[in-house]
Amino acid sequence: FLTRLAAISQLERLAPTVTADSDDAIHDLTIKKILREVRTDSKADADPSWVDDADMDEELQAKMWCLKILVNKALATEEEADAEEHVKPVLKLLKTFIINEGEFCKTKDTPLHHKKRLRLLAGLLTLKLCTVEKYDEQLDPSSFNKLAELVQDSELQVRRRFMEKLQNYLTRAKLRARFHTILFLVAFEPVADLKNRVETWIRSRARYYGEKKQQILEAIMGRLIPLLAHHPDYTSDTDDLADFANYFLFYL
């Protein structure tokens, strides 16, 4: 079954005309029969928050393939006239996974390690869609702010993998400059090694842009302020404001 889902995913990306007649069936399978359902029992407090690639159960793998199928379809049809309209429900679906901490089932009994993996994948696939300029324009400010919160997820692997992919896209100039702002939320990263690696990367990019006489990082200050103003921890309390000053010190 997983092999067939993988095959559909590849067909959607590389030969979308082959699957065109089965669009409704694929939509029904991916969303209603797989993503919406939970077949693995949640162990509540005993659930691990992360499992390695080799230890992922079949249901989790199937759900991950389903998200890839939906995104690959959007990527394959980016040249079509109504591509922007088709990508909106995909971006909305991914945003739901991000906001709801990876939960998509109405009974809210998805195992924790499933939720962490699905939340991360939703974030990574959102970045992938945003490498297409017309799709990036469909990512509204609210969705962008929620995407940024992955940098502060409670699970280290989610934070690390998301930041590494974001840095990779930015290094290759695949994403617009506004995505740099997300990395400055690393100011409160509790793992020193991870924080230092991101800081070193930012310094490197600052030198790179400086040599090219481009004020990319200076210009994003205007985006960093509203990102912080809409942060879920933000309040006008004096102590909180003093805390938030650390973001600006880190940025500077």
Side-chain angles (χ1 to χ4, degrees), residues 7-49:
I8 294 171
S9 176
Q10 290 301 295
L11 287 170
E12 289 283 25
R13 183 71 182 93
L14 305 171
T17 53
V18 175
T19 55
D21 291 340
S22 303
D23 277 353
D24 290 342
I26 291 171
H27 185 272
D28 188 62
L29 173 72
T30 53
I31 295 181
K32 294 181 182 176
K33 294 181 179 175
I34 299 179
L35 289 173
R36 278 282 186 202
E37 297 294 325
V38 176
R39 295 175 174 84
T40 304
D41 289 337
S42 174
K43 301 185 185 71
D45 296 337
D47 257 345
S49 63

Side-chain angles (χ1 to χ4, degrees), residues 88-102:
K88 283 180 181 177
V90 180
L91 284 170
K92 184 179 178 180
L93 175 72
L94 296 175
K95 181 182 179 181
T96 301
F97 274 96
I98 292 169
I99 291 176
N100 295 340
E101 299 283 332

Side-chain angles (χ1 to χ4, degrees), residues 45-56:
D45 296 337
D47 257 345
S49 63
W50 187 261
V51 291
D52 292 329
D53 294 5
D55 297 324
M56 290 194 296

Side-chain angles (χ1 to χ4, degrees), residues 54-252:
D55 297 324
M56 290 194 296
D57 58 60
E58 290 193 0
E59 181 179 14
L60 175 55
Q61 292 180 63
K63 289 186 173 183
M64 293 175 75
W65 277 121
C66 287
L67 288 179
K68 291 174 184 176
I69 285 169
L70 297 169
V71 169
N72 279 347
K73 182 176 178 59
L75 291 171
T77 55
E78 64 178 90
E79 299 300 329
E80 293 184 5
D82 55 355
E84 289 99 324
E85 287 304 310
H86 284 156
V87 83
K88 283 180 181 177
V90 180
L91 284 170
K92 184 179 178 180
L93 175 72
L94 296 175
K95 181 182 179 181
T96 301
F97 274 96
I98 292 169
I99 291 176
N100 295 340
E101 299 283 332
E103 182 64 81
F104 193 58
C105 180
K106 290 178 180 177
T107 53
K108 297 186 177 180
D109 53 1
T110 304
L112 180 60
H113 60 284
H114 282 205
K115 290 192 289 187
K116 289 297 182 184
R117 278 278 186 175
L118 292 169
R119 187 179 195 228
L120 170 62
L121 183 60
L124 297 178
L125 291 175
T126 301
L127 291 180
K128 192 171 188 176
L129 285 173
C130 287
T131 61
V132 179
E133 189 174 332
K134 63 169 74 170
Y135 291 168
D136 178 44
E137 291 169 357
Q138 301 302 317
L139 188 74
D140 60 277
S142 168
S143 298
F144 181 86
N145 293 343
K146 289 299 176 184
L147 181 68
E149 290 176 22
L150 281 164
V151 173
Q152 297 180 326
D153 190 271
S154 59
E155 170 55 47
L156 169 61
Q157 290 294 339
V158 173
R159 302 196 303 273
R160 182 178 66 79
R161 294 183 184 216
F162 181 75
M163 283 190 270
E164 286 175 353
K165 180 58 74 172
L166 176 57
Q167 288 170 276
N168 180 283
Y169 280 136
L170 288 170
T171 301
R172 295 187 291 134
K174 293 287 187 180
L175 291 170
R176 289 183 176 180
R178 66 168 175 161
F179 283 89
H180 286 91
T181 55
I182 294 175
L183 289 169
F184 290 103
L185 294 186
V186 82
F188 286 97
E189 170 56 49
V191 179
D193 178 56
L194 180 56
K195 182 180 178 180
N196 291 339
R197 272 188 285 164
V198 175
E199 189 172 349
T200 300
W201 183 88
I202 292 172
R203 291 182 190 279
S204 169
R205 296 309 288 172
R207 285 195 299 273
Y208 171 78
Y209 291 130
E211 288 167 3
K212 301 189 80 147
K213 301 292 190 289
Q214 295 177 324
Q215 294 186 317
I216 303 291
L217 296 182
E218 290 83 353
I220 66 169
M221 181 67 151
R223 290 192 177 277
L224 182 61
I225 293 171
L227 177 64
L228 294 174
H230 290 90
H231 191 283
D233 293 340
Y234 175 81
T235 72
S236 56
D237 183 78
T238 307
D239 289 340
D240 286 341
L241 290 175
D243 252 358
F244 265 68
N246 287 309
Y247 284 113
F248 293 107
L249 293 173
F250 180 75
Y251 165 76
L252 294 170

